[in-house]
């Protein structure tokens, strides 16, 4: 299983895939990544998904949550 966070960028250096593991909160700056197509949140407890996630509505094609608890 993945135990670290990572990002994949396109040839222009824009983040298109982000995987965050064992985080306590989602940085709001993440929602400015308007080219991101995939977001994975893994192994995080007490995590709240803020309403700002709607900023990714036009680009995000995949949202995966594994072993997440609390407020979604």
């Amino acid at each position: 299983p993945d135990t670290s966070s990572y990002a994949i960028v396109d040839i222009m250096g824009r983040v298109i895939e982000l995987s965050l593991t064992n985080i306590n909160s989602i940085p709001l700056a993440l929602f400015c990544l308007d080219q991101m197509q995939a977001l994975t949140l893994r192994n995080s407890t007490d995590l709240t998904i803020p309403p700002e996630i709607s900023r990714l509505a036009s680009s995000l094609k995949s949202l995966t949550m594994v072993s997440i608890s609390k407020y979604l």
Side-chain angles (χ1 to χ4, degrees), residues 1-66:
D2 292 326
T3 58
S4 60
S5 298
Y6 65 88
I8 296 176
V9 298
D10 65 10
I11 60 172
M12 302 296 288
R14 298 175 296 207
V15 175
I16 57 172
E17 183 176 329
L18 185 62
S19 178
L20 300 174
T21 303
N22 297 321
I23 61 170
N24 294 326
S25 64
I26 299 174
L28 294 181
L30 176 145
F31 303 115
C32 293
L33 301 173
D34 60 0
Q35 299 298 312
M36 187 164 43
Q37 298 173 11
L39 174 61
T40 300
L41 303 171
R42 183 177 283 121
N43 301 334
S44 299
T45 57
D46 234 14
L47 186 66
T48 299
I49 307 297
E52 286 83 1
I53 196 166
S54 65
R55 294 181 190 167
L56 302 176
S58 64
S59 65
L60 197 64
K61 297 176 183 169
S62 172
L63 174 61
T64 304
M65 295 181 280
V66 180

